[in-house]
Amino acid sequence: MRTKIAIVSAVTAIPLALSACGSSGDSAAADGTKSIGFISQAPRNDGGFTQFGLAGVNAAIEADKNLKLSSIVDNAANSQEQIQGLESLATKNQIVVADGASFNKAVAVVAPKYPKVRFILVAADLDAYAENVTSVTAAVGYNAIVVGAVASAHSRTKKLGMIAGLEVPSTTAWYHGMVQGAALENPNTKVVETYTGDFNDVGKAKQAAEAMIASGVDSILSDLDSGSRGVYQAAGGATSPTDVYDVFALHCDSSPHIIGSGVVSWSDILKNAVADAAADTLPAGAISYGLGTGALRFEFCPGKGTPEEKALVEKITKDITDGKIVADKGVLLPKPAYHFEQR
């Protein structure tokens, strides 16, 4: 599960209606206020990635009285809904946040029609440079290397698993990172992957986890939102000890089987990006946040992790930030051909 946070503020949803190009509210209001539109594939209160990103937007607004969140489109699941939602938001806002990797194609279609609107694409890059688009990603593969090493050290069967909703670059990065990290700790450790097709389906997640456990997997990384509850349930019902690792945030109270998490503070990343966009200092192109920024890190749940495992976390993290460990193929998102900044 990606995070559990309280809803920061209430906003009004807008209908998914196609709006005419050229009518964009692309300049600040007379009082200097800049409005922000937010669009996501999942529900805004999904208890996970979407809610985490929305919290970052709200944090930027709380820090700047000249910003306001005017509208949200959530549950934009297919390409038509995403394009229509982006069109509708771009007519009313100076900044539009597209929260999720699946929006890269829709943003590429809509952004050129609204050259004065700043689009922030989260967790994916565009295929080509756009002057009014900045993609912000987290180098989650680095976190996954640490998770893989820890999980391998803690595993009894040396069989690890990763469960995610959709097979997109940001989720496969968790898998490839786990493979690399596990091999660093023990070259004989195996890692398997499963994609349920839904980040929030508890039943599918439980079935996937049960299948893994039946095959001998004793440590599972859950790259899910509310669907993680299914993984916790499967671990709780297993006849043999099964460990769980979360992504993005710690959920130690959710299950006694959780060892730790590859924490990614999307809230901090979005707060930073929105604040820079409001100040007109956000560069176009792509920005990736890594372990050196503090936005990514591995954390154990209280009372979990041996001294040796904690020392392993420190060593792997330091070796990555010092450049001694270079990411294998698939661990990081491919660098775009245009302006790219690794932070």
Side-chain angles (χ1 to χ4, degrees):
M1 189 181 296
R2 298 161 192 257
T3 188
K4 287 182 180 176
I5 52 177
I7 297 176
V8 179
S9 67
V11 294
T12 302
I14 63 175
L16 291 172
L18 185 64
S19 302
C21 301
S23 59
S24 166
D26 50 25
S27 60
D31 60 359
T33 300
K34 289 187 176 181
S35 62
I36 303 170
F38 182 93
I39 185 170
S40 64
Q41 177 179 333
R44 71 193 70 179
N45 59 349
D46 66 346
F49 176 78
T50 299
Q51 197 166 329
F52 205 3
L54 187 55
V57 174
N58 276 294
I61 292 168
E62 290 176 359
D64 186 345
K65 61 181 178 61
N66 291 321
L67 292 177
K68 68 175 182 179
L69 180 58
S70 71
S71 43
I72 292 178
V73 173
D74 56 1
N75 292 305
N78 60 54
S79 59
Q80 181 179 0
E81 291 174 341
Q82 291 174 356
I83 290 173
Q84 290 177 336
L86 286 167
E87 291 268 14
S88 184
L89 291 176
T91 64
K92 300 175 175 66
N93 299 283
Q94 291 79 50
I95 300 170
V96 173
V97 177
D99 194 55
S102 66
F103 284 94
N104 61 334
K105 301 299 183 183
V107 168
V109 170
V110 175
K113 302 175 184 179
Y114 300 89
K116 294 184 180 180
V117 177
R118 169 58 63 180
F119 291 83
I120 301 175
L121 173 62
V122 184
D125 294 323
L126 294 179
D127 292 334
Y129 177 81
E131 292 184 354
N132 61 331
V133 179
T134 303
S135 61
V136 293
T137 62
V140 296
Y142 285 138
N143 246 358
I145 293 174
V146 183
V147 173
V150 171
S152 177
H154 201 76
S155 173
R156 295 157 293 279
T157 66
K158 300 303 176 185
K159 294 182 179 179
L160 317 179
M162 191 280 294
I163 300 176
L166 300 174
E167 188 174 2
V168 295
S170 58
T171 58
T172 58
W174 282 104
Y175 167 70
H176 290 295
M178 278 194 76
V179 172
Q180 182 176 358
L184 289 171
E185 194 279 329
N186 189 320
N188 295 317
T189 299
K190 304 298 182 183
V191 186
V192 296
E193 59 184 328
T194 296
Y195 300 92
T196 66
D198 193 315
F199 287 102
N200 297 297
D201 192 308
V202 175
K204 289 181 179 179
K206 183 179 180 181
Q207 291 176 356
E210 288 175 339
M212 281 188 174
I213 294 168
S215 72
V217 168
D218 70 350
S219 301
I220 299 174
L221 174 69
S222 177
D223 183 11
L224 297 166
D225 293 324
S226 56
S228 284
R229 293 198 299 272
V231 179
Y232 305 153
Q233 291 169 12
T239 57
S240 58
T242 303
D243 301 322
V244 179
Y245 297 84
D246 278 325
V247 302
F248 299 121
L250 277 171
H251 303 291
C252 303
D253 293 338
S254 297
S255 170
H257 298 277
I258 299 173
I259 302 299
S261 176
V263 173
V264 179
S265 181
W266 279 111
S267 179
D268 288 345
I269 292 172
L270 265 293
K271 178 183 178 181
N272 177 271
V274 170
D276 285 352
D280 295 324
T281 59
L282 185 68
I287 301 173
S288 175
Y289 291 77
L291 289 169
T293 65
L296 281 70
R297 60 192 180 277
F298 181 85
E299 292 185 13
F300 285 103
C301 286
K304 302 292 179 68
T306 66
E308 292 79 13
E309 290 167 355
K310 293 177 180 178
L312 180 63
V313 169
E314 293 182 5
K315 181 181 185 306
I316 297 294
T317 299
K318 186 176 187 302
D319 285 350
I320 291 173
T321 55
D322 289 348
K324 294 180 180 179
I325 294 176
V326 178
D328 288 345
K329 182 179 180 180
V331 172
L332 300 178
L333 295 176
K335 291 183 180 180
Y338 48 85
H339 171 77
F340 173 81
E341 180 181 343
Q342 178 68 65
R343 293 185 177 179

